[in-house]
């Protein structure tokens, strides 16, 4: 397979990613059967994962999205909501869908923000989990893959807004892009 410049090594193939998302979709269906589940995707990275996950879930779900932006150059974890959810989440079972939980700052901010809106429950589902870099602890309920301490792209994850559309997850070496 030809890979774009800078893409060093494929960690999980398209087939592995699809199979794992189907498994996690089944786990979520079992856990939330009979309840009102809303998937909340964080733009833009989680969109790719969320659509596949939603198709793998066998119970009715609603979806909504929010976008965040970080204050660049400032303290890590300083993020704000750039686009809010369309609808309230009060009394609903909410699953926050993330592309990656890395230091945990973004996820913790989102959890705290959403918790303030009185949902019935909040869970976290992430495509990738890089626990070796965690700084603040967050309760990850569903995770597709644990990854090593390397920068990755694909399946929604970008390098300078590129490579989100790769179907596989790969280690990226930015020094080799030019
Ligand atoms: P946090 O460090 O857990 O707050 O993660 C913040 C965000 O950094 C994630 O939602 C991603 O958008 C981005 N990010 C972290 N690691 C990677 C990576 O390896 N590739 C691409 N984006 C990443
Ligand atoms: Mg990003």
């Amino acid at each position: 397979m030809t890979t774009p410049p800078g893409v060093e090594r494929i960690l999980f193939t398209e087939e592995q990613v699809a199979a794992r998302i189907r498994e996690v979709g089944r786990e979520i269906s079992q856990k939330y059967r009979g309840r009102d589940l809303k998937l909340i995707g964080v733009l833009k990275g989680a969109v790719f994962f969320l659509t596949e996950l939603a198709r793998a879930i066998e119970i009715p779900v609603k979806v909504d999205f929010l976008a965040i932006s970080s204050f660049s150059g400032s303290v890590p974890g300083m993020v704000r909501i750039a686009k809010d959810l369309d609808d309230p989440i009060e009394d609903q079972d909410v699953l926050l869908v993330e592309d990656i939980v890395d230091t945990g700052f973004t996820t913790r901010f989102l959890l705290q923000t959403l918790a303030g809106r009185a949902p019935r429950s909040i869970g976290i589902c992430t495509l990738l989990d890089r626990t070796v870099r965690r700084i603040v602890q967050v309760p990850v309920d569903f995770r597709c893959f644990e990854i090593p301490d390397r920068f990755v792209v694909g399946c929604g994850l970008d390098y300078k807004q590129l490579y989100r559309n790769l179907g596989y997850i790969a280690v990226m070496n930015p020094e080799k892009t030019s």
Side-chain angles (χ1 to χ4, degrees), residues 58-76:
E58 297 148 352
I59 57 168
V61 291
K62 292 179 182 165
V63 302
D64 205 345
F65 294 95
L66 53 75
I68 48 174
S69 60
S70 38
F71 300 100
S72 54
S74 58
V75 202

Side-chain angles (χ1 to χ4, degrees), residues 109-122:
F109 167 80
L110 291 172
L111 265 186
Q112 287 172 347
T113 304
L114 296 176
R117 301 180 186 185
R120 191 165 169 266
S121 69
I122 310 188

